Structure formats: structure tokens, C-alpha cells
Amino acid sequence: MLEIGVLVSGRGSNLEAILGSIEKGVVKNARVAIVISNDPKAKALAVARRHGAKAVALEAGGDSREAYGVRLAEVLAKHGVEPGKGLVLLAGFMKILPESFVNLYTGRMMNIHPSLLPAFPGIRAQQQALSHGVKVAGCTVHFVVPEVDAGPIILQKAVPVYEGDTEESLSSRILRQEHRLYPLAVKLFAEGRLHTEGRIVRRER
Ligand code: GRF
């Protein structure tokens, strides 16, 4: 059984897609052991509990980035999401993690980002894409490395950008694809079908 920890900060729609894919048996031999939010008001906490997943708020408070990473690792390990064994998913998690934490979960921590990386890393990626005038946008699931939005790319999905698109309309078109892409990446990982060599992630058919 793959023990998954999900780190969230907000709405929790990607979390819900992942929980749903486990409930439906699309992702097998995996369970969400713990959902951790740095914001106690995050809707994602309620989403988790509604699906019967354990959810806790862990605020950074006055902690340094480093100290917060240590506390996160403790909570994950306590719930069976151990380095070298579990899987950590960033799903709209808005804090930058320290290198020490990222290194604990090398190759076992994923993030979803609403752009076709390496274009438009960082915040408001969809608005960045619109402002740049690109005609194709999309989303990326990647392994997490210390540099933000920069790790080996697991899956990507493109969507068209239409004239008259707003940040909202483009975001919702991308989000629909995020909800398919992230569970698929988790499924491939749980089935041992992702093989990484340097920057390249190969998907076993
Ligand atoms: C998504 O757009 C995701 O790509 C980005 O943050 C947003 C999280 O949305 N990293 P939700 O909380 O999963 O609904």
C-alpha cells in the first residue's frame, strides 16, 4: 500500500480528484494517509474530511523555512508517509519548501503547475500565459526539486488559448485537465511505471 501525503493551501479540487480516483479504484494500492494545510481556513481540509481522509492544519507561525520543513516531515512520517516509501503530493501548496525537506523525498514528491513548464513558473501562471500572448497553454505534473517548478516533467497536457479568454476562463479550461492529469501521474507512480534518468521521466506502457 502506497501511503500518500498531500500538502494543500486552498480550494482542494486537485486533492478531490485524487481522492475520487482512489475511491473509484482507478488508482489502486494507494491511500491518502494525511492532508496537511499551512492555512487552517483552506477549503481543502473540509474536502479531505468529507472523503474520510485525515486532515490537519500546520501553520508556519514564526518558524523558519527550515524549521517548518522539519515539522512537516515529522507529521508525514507519523502518518506513514516516510522518505523512500511514501509519496508526497503538492496540490496548490503555496509555501516554498526548504532543500532539506525536498531532498528527503527526491523522486517521491510531485507538484502540479498550471502551465506548460518550463514556461511561466511561479504564481498566476495562467495570467502570465495570457499576457505573453501564447496560443497554447496547459498544465504539468513534475517531480519536485529545490528550485521552484523546475523538476523532471512527468506528464503535460495542452489546451488552446482563445481570443477573449480571461484569467478565469483559461484557468478553468486548464483545471479540467489538471483533474485528469494528476490522478494519472499518481496511478503511474503507484504502479511503478515511472522511471527517471536525470531530467527525463520515462513512462512504462
Ligand atoms: C491549481 O491550479 C494547481 O495547478 C496550482 O494551484 C491550483 C490549486 O487548485 N498549483 P486546487 O486547490 O487543487 O483546487
Side-chain angles (χ1 to χ4, degrees):
M1 178 69 76
L2 176 67
E3 305 284 343
I4 300 175
V6 188
L7 308 189
V8 295
S9 299
R11 181 176 55 187
S13 71
N14 278 290
L15 167 68
E16 186 148 42
I18 289 157
L19 288 163
S21 68
I22 293 172
E23 284 160 15
K24 286 190 215 113
V26 176
V27 176
K28 295 184 200 68
N29 296 322
R31 67 178 200 117
V32 173
I34 186 71
V35 174
I36 305 172
S37 172
N38 64 303
D39 179 356
K41 295 198 221 67
K43 292 204 172 69
L45 290 169
V47 169
R49 291 175 187 137
R50 197 162 66 232
H51 286 265
K54 172 134 202 218
V56 297
L58 191 69
E59 285 179 276
D63 276 3
S64 65
R65 189 176 285 175
E66 199 65 35
Y68 185 64
V70 170
R71 284 171 60 213
L72 267 180
E74 278 168 11
V75 176
L76 287 166
K78 187 175 135 203
H79 291 89
V81 187
E82 278 151 313
K85 241 179 86 197
L87 175 66
V88 178
L89 301 176
L90 308 185
F93 187 63
M94 295 306 287
K95 283 193 82 65
I96 295 175
L97 294 162
E99 192 166 341
S100 54
F101 178 87
V102 173
N103 289 340
L104 285 176
Y105 290 96
T106 303
R108 308 191 74 89
M109 174 152 56
M110 295 178 183
N111 179 42
I112 187 153
H113 184 74
S115 81
L116 295 174
L117 289 171
F120 315 124
I123 59 163
R124 295 188 69 188
Q126 305 93 331
Q127 182 56 52
Q128 291 186 53
L130 280 179
S131 302
H132 202 89
V134 297
K135 307 305 178 207
V136 177
C139 48
T140 303
V141 180
H142 63 91
F143 283 118
V144 175
V145 297
E147 196 190 334
V148 173
D149 299 330
I153 290 168
I154 302 167
L155 295 171
Q156 291 187 301
K157 180 73 185 177
V159 307
V161 178
Y162 297 127
E163 262 176 49
D165 257 337
T166 61
E167 186 176 7
E168 289 68 36
S169 64
L170 179 59
S171 297
S172 71
R173 191 173 311 123
I174 294 171
L175 193 64
R176 280 196 293 280
Q177 298 307 322
E178 293 185 35
H179 295 161
R180 300 167 65 165
L181 211 61
Y182 216 174
L184 174 58
V186 174
K187 176 184 166 73
L188 293 170
F189 184 92
E191 293 174 359
R193 289 163 63 196
L194 295 176
H195 306 283
T196 310
E197 281 161 44
R199 274 215 61 85
I200 309 303
V201 182
R202 206 165 40 77
R203 167 184 174 175
E204 197 178 298
R205 298 281 161 183

